[in-house]
Amino acid sequence: MTDVSPSTSGDGQRPAAERQLRSHQWYGTEGLRSFSHRARTRQLGYLPEEHLGKPVIAILNTWSDINPCHVHLRDRAQAVKRGVWQAGGFPLEFPVSTLSETFQKPTPMLYRNMLAMETEELLRSYPVDGAVLMGGCDKSTPALLMGAASVDLPTVFVPAGPMLPGHWRNEILGSGTDMWKYWDDKRAGLIGDCEMTELESGLARSPGHCMTMGTASTLTAAAEALGVTVPGASSIPAVDSGHDRMAAASGLRIVELVRKDRKLSDILTQEAFEDAVTTVLGLGGSTNAVIHLIAMAGRAGARLTLDDFDRIARTVPVLANVRPGGRTYLMEDFHFAGGLPGFLSRITDLLHLDRPTVSHDSLREQLATAQVHNDEVIRTRENPVAAEGGVAVLRGNLCPDGAVIKHISAEPHLLKHTGPAVVFDDYRAMQRTINDPELGITADTVLVLRNSGPKGGPGMPEYGMLPIPDHLLKQGVRDMVRISDARMSGTSYGACVLHVAPESYIGGPLALVRTGDTITLDVEARSLQLNVDDAELERRRERWTAPPERYERGYGALYNDQITQADTGCDFAFLARPGKVPDPYAG
């Protein structure tokens, strides 16, 4: 049977028919298996003219009834299909795991690598020539791109988009950020149950991910900076008609990428990842991006380290005046101020402009017409939100493999601080006892939570924004130094030291801290130091015993066996290592 793929549109590339589409080995040969594949496609109701010789596009959709970030993606998949059909391709929608930061316990981070595996194996095992990935809620973006990078087909990412701004009385609310704020106000006695009931109905008003520069907005912006979305895609509000048009444009584009044979590896270069780091830091983005970008880079054959983040942070100013780092505007404001193209147009001297994207032969070409329409939302270089990138990497005897802090979201007086530790071994125990006056917690105390890292959490839950005791909230205290091997929500804020590596659960130095020890945080010096001499620490280490394993069977046991530490991206070791995986034999 002859492959009758349409030719390309004057771009100088070989026609798809001459290259022979990947799906050809399923559909286009004379053997029994191809006959069976064609017969089963007829069983699905498709005519030969609808798919034979055409680029087959997998649409991986993370839609779910219980994922408010993605609840609209079932409709958006239809727009993607519309674009694929229009461009002469054949779309096939695949439902994949949904990772809901809102509901999934103990944390969707536990399942990021599961979705990455599912993505990789679906794309590898089915007759597809290219992929459109649909996601946006925190872990779905890196998971989908990690899996796709391991297969290396032409790929376009469709971000879920931010929800509409929240409203309560005369205030505009940011999901997450204002939740933490008003919850503290309630604990301080400033508002009551009636106000909280009103806030429940006003905080999140539409489909879409958080409309602050939390983890979701940070990572979809990183995806756009990497070059795997159509221009401007990451900030379009989820319910805007422009989001539907973007989805259709993505469907059009993926067919052209297949015809050009522009694979994901052509886009996800070392330079692209460095530009994504620059973007995240200049946006004042989430600390979670550090873990995810390191993992994504590893899958793409690039290399990022914590030191790269710290080096780049010293060169890029924060220009996005978006909550929580900017503490003023939300993602809809950012979008209409120029979105990511406008933002990137102000830091072009810090970017690699000659690398390709899915839409253009170079980032330079993609940004040629980008503009900023509101200098308060996207600041000028002369008037930044902060002079340096929003995340600092710390080192010291408490975190020999590193830790991070989003210092632009902390109260400045805490960025150089020494105080006595109060240590919690368990998050639930901390919740029960944080208000116990016997603990003697003051505003100078350093709160320490351990056993909340990749293995100890398990999955590194967002426990890192430890609650401030009620009695201090009532005194007006709104920030304290807090240290953990956990993560925190990208929508949160405060002097929270996170991702301490190695984690306490495997015997990292955090396991050796005792209540009463003093700890010194010095962000300018990039230092986190436990003020206990080495001999005493060695004595404590000799007495330390490892806790029991969290899981005895199932996915949790696989996770526990294979998960790497925060500084290397929390990927599975067997997935992160280099090596080839052959395409399946389809004949």
Side-chain angles (χ1 to χ4, degrees), residues 115-129:
L115 175 55
M117 284 194 294
E118 183 180 16
T119 299
E120 176 177 351
E121 298 308 325
L122 279 175
L123 294 179
R124 195 186 308 283
S125 60
Y126 279 94
V128 299
D129 303 299

Side-chain angles (χ1 to χ4, degrees), residues 316-581:
V316 58
V318 178
L319 300 183
N321 189 15
V322 179
R323 290 185 245 177
R327 305 189 184 186
T328 303
Y329 296 100
L330 297 172
M331 286 303 297
E332 187 172 14
D333 304 304
F334 181 78
H335 177 66
F336 290 111
L340 199 73
F343 170 84
L344 294 178
S345 74
R346 293 202 155 161
I347 56 169
T348 52
D349 58 307
L350 304 176
L351 303 173
H352 299 86
L353 296 175
D354 295 322
R355 60 181 178 87
T357 70
V358 296
S359 294
H360 292 85
D361 291 331
S362 71
L363 181 62
R364 185 188 311 277
E365 179 185 351
Q366 182 163 311
L367 298 178
T369 60
Q371 297 180 32
V372 174
H373 309 297
N374 188 329
D375 290 341
E376 277 303 306
V377 180
I378 302 174
R379 297 280 188 89
T380 63
R381 298 281 281 272
E382 295 73 31
N383 182 35
V385 175
E388 290 188 355
V391 175
V393 176
L394 308 173
R395 303 279 183 178
N397 67 349
L398 198 51
C399 54
D401 292 338
V404 301
I405 182 172
K406 188 173 179 178
H407 55 292
I408 64 167
S409 294
E411 292 191 6
H413 74 277
L414 293 173
L415 299 182
K416 186 171 185 179
H417 178 81
T418 298
V422 170
V423 181
F424 301 94
D425 284 317
D426 174 79
Y427 184 73
R428 281 174 284 187
M430 181 275 299
Q431 287 179 304
R432 292 193 303 269
T433 62
I434 189 70
N435 292 313
D436 187 348
E438 293 293 321
L439 296 177
I441 297 174
T442 71
D444 291 328
T445 298
V446 176
L447 300 177
V448 175
L449 174 66
R450 52 193 176 205
N451 297 319
S452 298
K455 288 192 175 186
M460 259 185 121
E462 292 183 341
Y463 292 166
M465 53 280 197
L466 280 68
I468 295 170
D470 289 357
H471 71 276
L472 293 178
L473 290 172
K474 291 173 181 176
Q475 295 171 24
V477 176
R478 285 295 185 272
D479 200 3
M480 297 175 65
V481 174
R482 290 158 276 181
I483 300 172
S484 72
D485 43 19
R487 299 177 299 110
M488 81 173 184
S489 168
T491 66
S492 193
Y493 48 84
C496 301
V497 177
L498 310 157
H499 312 178
V500 169
E503 65 175 305
S504 56
Y505 192 78
I506 64 171
L510 199 65
L512 310 180
V513 183
R514 293 179 178 175
T515 293
D517 293 345
T518 63
I519 296 174
T520 298
L521 167 67
D522 189 337
V523 172
E524 184 177 359
R526 300 300 198 259
S527 174
L528 182 67
Q529 199 73 15
L530 175 63
N531 300 315
V532 176
D533 66 65
D534 292 344
E536 172 59 20
L537 289 177
E538 189 56 36
R539 285 190 290 272
R540 294 182 188 181
R541 182 174 299 283
E542 290 172 359
R543 292 192 289 270
W544 180 80
T545 57
E549 298 288 355
R550 296 289 196 199
Y551 295 96
E552 294 184 356
R553 60 162 302 282
Y555 174 77
L558 170 66
Y559 175 94
N560 187 75
D561 181 60
Q562 291 292 322
I563 196 68
T564 63
Q565 289 292 290
D567 60 302
T568 55
C570 295
D571 201 356
F572 285 167
F574 77 95
L575 294 174
R577 68 185 179 219
K580 294 183 178 180
V581 179

Side-chain angles (χ1 to χ4, degrees), residues 166-250:
H167 280 273
W168 176 60
R169 297 183 179 178
N170 196 37
E171 293 193 36
I172 296 175
L173 304 177
S175 60
T177 302
D178 281 306
M179 179 180 73
W180 315 122
K181 173 183 179 294
Y182 284 111
W183 189 254
D184 282 351
D185 283 352
K186 181 180 186 296
R187 293 172 58 222
L190 300 177
I191 61 175
D193 291 341
C194 291
E195 289 87 351
M196 293 303 291
T197 299
E198 292 176 14
L199 282 161
E200 283 183 15
S201 298
L203 192 63
R205 299 170 46 237
S206 78
H209 59 66
C210 291
M211 77 300 261
T212 53
M213 190 58 73
T215 305
S217 293
T218 299
L219 285 167
T220 54
E224 184 174 340
L226 285 168
V228 296
T229 77
V230 297
S234 63
S235 61
I236 303 172
V239 295
D240 193 298
S241 63
H243 198 267
D244 221 36
R245 296 192 298 272
M246 176 271 294
S250 300

Side-chain angles (χ1 to χ4, degrees), residues 22-279:
R22 181 177 181 271
S23 56
H24 177 86
Q25 62 182 305
W26 274 265
Y27 287 120
T29 67
E30 297 295 339
L32 172 64
R33 291 298 179 187
S34 281
F35 169 80
S36 174
H37 298 149
R38 294 192 297 270
R40 292 302 189 177
T41 306
R42 303 299 161 268
Q43 181 186 9
L44 291 169
Y46 295 111
L47 294 165
E49 294 84 356
E50 291 185 82
H51 74 97
L52 288 180
K54 295 182 178 181
V56 179
I57 306 301
I59 303 169
L60 271 57
N61 194 347
T62 53
W63 168 86
S64 167
D65 270 335
I66 200 170
N67 191 336
C69 305
H70 297 176
V71 73
H72 58 304
L73 290 186
R74 184 160 58 174
D75 293 335
R76 293 298 175 272
Q78 301 310 307
V80 175
K81 290 179 183 179
R82 193 173 78 229
V84 172
W85 286 119
Q86 184 69 20
F90 180 63
L92 295 171
E93 186 177 355
F94 292 75
V96 293
S97 301
T98 193
L99 304 183
S100 173
E101 192 66 49
T102 312
F103 291 104
Q104 197 167 23
K105 306 300 179 190
T107 169
M109 184 64 178
L110 185 68
Y111 302 104
R112 184 198 70 181
N113 298 339
M114 184 172 75
L115 175 55
M117 284 194 294
E118 183 180 16
T119 299
E120 176 177 351
E121 298 308 325
L122 279 175
L123 294 179
R124 195 186 308 283
S125 60
Y126 279 94
V128 299
D129 303 299
V132 175
L133 313 175
M134 304 186 71
C137 191
D138 296 17
K139 314 306 174 294
S140 61
T141 300
L144 291 165
L145 286 170
M146 287 164 66
S150 296
V151 183
D152 196 24
L153 298 177
T155 301
V156 173
F157 184 76
V158 172
M163 69 178 87
L164 294 176
H167 280 273
W168 176 60
R169 297 183 179 178
N170 196 37
E171 293 193 36
I172 296 175
L173 304 177
S175 60
T177 302
D178 281 306
M179 179 180 73
W180 315 122
K181 173 183 179 294
Y182 284 111
W183 189 254
D184 282 351
D185 283 352
K186 181 180 186 296
R187 293 172 58 222
L190 300 177
I191 61 175
D193 291 341
C194 291
E195 289 87 351
M196 293 303 291
T197 299
E198 292 176 14
L199 282 161
E200 283 183 15
S201 298
L203 192 63
R205 299 170 46 237
S206 78
H209 59 66
C210 291
M211 77 300 261
T212 53
M213 190 58 73
T215 305
S217 293
T218 299
L219 285 167
T220 54
E224 184 174 340
L226 285 168
V228 296
T229 77
V230 297
S234 63
S235 61
I236 303 172
V239 295
D240 193 298
S241 63
H243 198 267
D244 221 36
R245 296 192 298 272
M246 176 271 294
S250 300
L252 286 163
R253 194 62 200 155
I254 186 58
V255 176
E256 288 305 306
L257 290 173
V258 171
R259 289 173 176 161
K260 289 183 175 183
D261 197 27
R262 182 171 288 180
K263 296 180 179 178
L264 196 52
S265 58
D266 298 323
I267 309 299
L268 295 183
T269 63
Q270 181 72 37
E271 292 79 11
F273 279 102
E274 290 180 5
D275 287 352
V277 172
T278 300
T279 299

